[in-house]
Amino acid sequence: MERADAVATSYAEQTGGSPDGVWAAPGRVNLIGEHTDYNDGFVLPFAIDREALVAVGRRADGQLRCWSRQEGTAPELAVADLAPGVVSGWSAYPLGVVWALREAGVAVPGLDVMVDSDVPVGGGLSSSAALEGAVALAVADLTDSTLSRTELALAGQRAENEVVGAPVGVMDQMAALLAQAGHAVFLDCRSLRAQAVPLDVAADDLALLLVDTRVTHAHATGEYGARRRSCEQAARVLGVPALRDVTPDQLDAAGSELDPVTRRRARHVVTENARVLATVELLRAGKIAQIGPMLSASHVSMRDDFEISCPELDTAVTATMAAGAVGARMTGGGFGGCALALVPTAAREELTAAVRAAFAAAGFRAPEVFGVTPTSGARRLR
Ligand code: ADP
Ligand code: MG
């Protein structure tokens, strides 16, 4: 409860009163299923033990005031004036959610919002969706809204798309709102059906280790757009609504219709969807250690077919595997960010040292290496 006390104290310092409540929502890591979301495919994220907290209180005068212990004070605004284009800076995330919920029919009152998050910003762990998830649940609770958690996740996505102006999918918000402790969220990005899949790694004496390379290669955004266009082109040539509708065998048979590069891009997406489904089956059968080869095959596919890895990510994967990881892959959009390794708990320290040594030998900036535990989604703390 320490962190809940701290955010409530900061709230009191700014407003002179106590909040109506404190809510939290987590960041996330994607276990497997990369670049499948915009192809109507499957993803398998889990919530991590890093969270955004918000202390929120209603105001009678219809004004919105936001503070962040990390980012400072945001300009004040009336609920009635909220609209895309009106808010900029970090408060576009929380106030974007308030706007999206108002658009969804929620009678939003004036609010004071104090934010405190330990999800690192821009590190690929989705600090934005954590913040959106916490605010969405807070507003829903304070207004006795009947919106489902999926609808709250969609409000977060809409905030980010229309108020922040970032064309993101809904995976991160779904993880932040729907995750359960000890489970991953198996999400069908076409139907938005989400199912909890057991991921109790500790029970199998395994741990999930994250290697943050602390690099972001500058061409990432342009390459992301190019990959999306390749996937759309492949679907068009193959005559399907999205690559989700193609099996690996069908793609093999369609050989000559696609140019070699587009074909490799499509092969990543098609085989990655198959790997997510296989991973879900293994986890449901309690065979956690056996997902290792799926993770490693996913990395090879992103490195060679989708071509979105980089030397730092490849080094993280090679070094953890050489030191005894069960499986490892880059996670996130690519060209930097984090790699995820499934490792025997007993070998954690040794593995961490091996990764650091490999980065030093390659002349890379020292990585941050830390464990993550599958935790629960957004919740009220008090
Ligand atoms: P990420 O991968 O971490 O989600 P984004 O660029 O999508 O990166 O979102 C990061 C943005 O979210 C920050 O620039 C800031 O505007 C907002 N944000 C995240 N955490 C906080 C916080 N603790 N306080 C205020 N704003 C935050
Ligand atoms: Mg984000």
Side-chain angles (χ1 to χ4, degrees), residues 114-257:
M114 172 61 71
V115 177
D116 182 20
S117 176
D118 68 358
V119 187
V121 167
L125 303 180
S126 205
S127 66
S128 58
L131 179 50
E132 290 155 11
V135 171
L137 189 64
V139 174
D141 278 358
L142 289 176
T143 58
D144 293 323
S145 156
T146 54
L147 293 177
S148 67
R149 292 230 171 188
T150 298
E151 287 169 315
L152 297 182
L154 287 167
Q157 182 195 19
R158 191 164 180 209
E160 203 153 335
N161 291 166
E162 297 184 40
V163 179
V164 176
V168 296
V170 77
M171 166 171 83
D172 300 349
Q173 293 82 1
M174 290 292 273
L177 280 149
L178 290 162
Q180 295 177 20
H183 290 74
V185 181
F186 172 38
L187 177 65
D188 179 336
C189 295
R190 175 171 277 169
S191 67
L192 293 190
R193 179 159 182 245
Q195 292 171 270
V197 176
L199 184 63
D200 187 3
V201 288
D204 274 41
D205 296 323
L206 294 169
L208 290 157
L209 211 60
L210 212 55
V211 180
D212 185 352
T213 65
R214 299 162 79 201
V215 298
T216 321
H217 290 289
H219 52 293
T221 310
E223 294 288 335
Y224 176 82
R227 294 302 179 281
R228 281 192 81 137
R229 286 193 296 278
S230 289
C231 292
E232 283 159 17
Q233 194 203 334
R236 222 173 13 250
V237 172
L238 295 169
V240 291
L243 286 178
R244 145 73 173 274
D245 302 299
V246 180
T247 64
D249 285 347
Q250 285 168 334
L251 186 66
D252 280 345
S256 57
E257 294 165 46

Side-chain angles (χ1 to χ4, degrees), residues 1 9 18 31 85 110 136-137 146 153 175 210 262 274 315 319 348-349 356 366:
M1 268 308 135
T9 301
S18 308
L31 181 64
L137 189 64
T146 54
L210 212 55
T262 309
T315 298
R348 246 182 83 163
E349 308 248 307
R356 289 191 197 286

